[in-house]
Amino acid sequence: MDELNDAAEPTAEIRGLRLLAADEDVDALRETAKILRELGHEVTEFAIGTTEVAEAIAREDPDASVVVVHQDDEHALGLIDEIVAFSSGPVVALLDDEDPDFVRQAADRGIHAYARPITPDAVQSALEVAMRRHEEQAKLSETVGQLESALERRATIERAKGILMERHSCNERAAFELLRAKARSSNRSVVDLARAVLDGHALLPAGGSDGA
């Protein structure tokens, strides 16, 4: 995954970003926030659980988000899923050690860059790469999703989850997993698929009575 941490020749040093920091470890969050603030960025929110991530993004709509990876890879991947679904900015993963398998899974979920080890220089380079790539993607995209606020994206996803919960008789988490899995398999964003659900292009009913 060299393309995710290739920080060569950033066009300009980026400072003053509004950042969301997410981790399951409160102490690690404080250490990460300290690094980010020393780099000249503003840490607007801490988030530990996936529910907190959605609420924080809707409230603050940060320029970018960082997820610190420790022992619990699945928790970190869950945080990345939620952030990518709701946020308008890029996502950066911070790792203490090289972990190609995690980076591959995180890339599939939509991170823009990663830093290893977690040092000020590595973190700043990853943020610059992520912001540059996100800007390039935004220029190529003409979808309405780029113009929506975080609150509007969250509302769209929440409404789609409600439809799927009723149709599939499942809970909120399972409904989100349905959206996420279908979005990944069809190479679409979660919010784009949520719009399709609201427009009537819904996932097949449970049991597949309409065919595969």
Side-chain angles (χ1 to χ4, degrees):
M1 293 295 169
D2 292 339
E3 69 277 6
L4 284 177
N5 67 349
D6 177 14
E9 298 183 9
T11 55
E13 195 171 71
I14 299 172
R15 303 287 177 176
L17 295 175
R18 298 172 64 255
L19 302 174
L20 167 76
D23 190 346
E24 78 274 14
D25 187 319
V26 175
D27 291 334
L29 271 177
R30 293 195 183 101
E31 288 300 314
T32 301
K34 180 180 178 183
I35 291 174
L36 295 171
R37 288 177 178 130
E38 288 175 350
L39 288 169
H41 304 298
E42 176 188 359
V43 180
T44 62
E45 288 282 352
F46 287 169
I48 298 173
T50 54
T51 301
E52 291 171 306
V53 164
E55 293 173 352
I57 289 173
R59 184 166 54 249
E60 298 291 341
D61 203 6
D63 297 321
S65 301
V66 296
V67 174
V68 188
V69 184
H70 294 296
Q71 304 276 335
D72 193 344
D73 285 3
E74 286 305 313
H75 183 82
L77 291 170
L79 290 171
I80 291 168
D81 276 335
E82 294 284 336
I83 294 170
V84 170
F86 290 100
S87 180
S88 60
V91 184
V92 174
L94 307 182
L95 297 85
D96 288 317
D97 302 301
E98 192 67 56
D99 188 343
D101 184 58
F102 175 85
V103 171
R104 191 176 304 109
Q105 293 182 69
D108 287 343
R109 286 162 165 80
I111 66 166
H112 289 72
Y114 75 97
R116 178 209 55 84
I118 306 175
T119 63
D121 287 345
V123 171
Q124 180 63 25
S125 293
L127 283 168
E128 291 176 7
V129 169
M131 294 300 294
R132 187 171 72 247
R133 289 186 175 140
H134 182 70
E135 183 180 357
E136 291 169 355
Q137 290 172 1
K139 288 178 180 178
L140 292 174
S141 176
E142 296 179 356
T143 64
V144 67
Q146 295 294 330
L147 304 176
E148 288 181 331
S149 71
L151 191 59
E152 290 168 332
R153 285 190 299 277
R154 184 184 182 192
T156 298
I157 293 171
E158 292 298 325
R159 288 168 59 200
K161 285 197 299 185
I163 291 172
L164 295 177
M165 288 167 65
E166 181 178 357
R167 179 172 290 112
H168 293 266
S169 299
C170 62
N171 61 27
E172 183 177 358
R173 187 66 202 175
F176 181 78
E177 288 299 322
L178 279 172
L179 279 173
R180 184 179 66 80
K182 187 66 174 179
R184 289 179 64 194
S185 67
S186 59
N187 198 28
R188 301 166 72 181
S189 69
V190 171
V191 71
D192 186 34
L193 191 67
R195 291 191 204 101
V197 172
L198 298 184
D199 289 340
H201 306 294
L203 301 178
L204 292 175
S209 58
D210 292 338

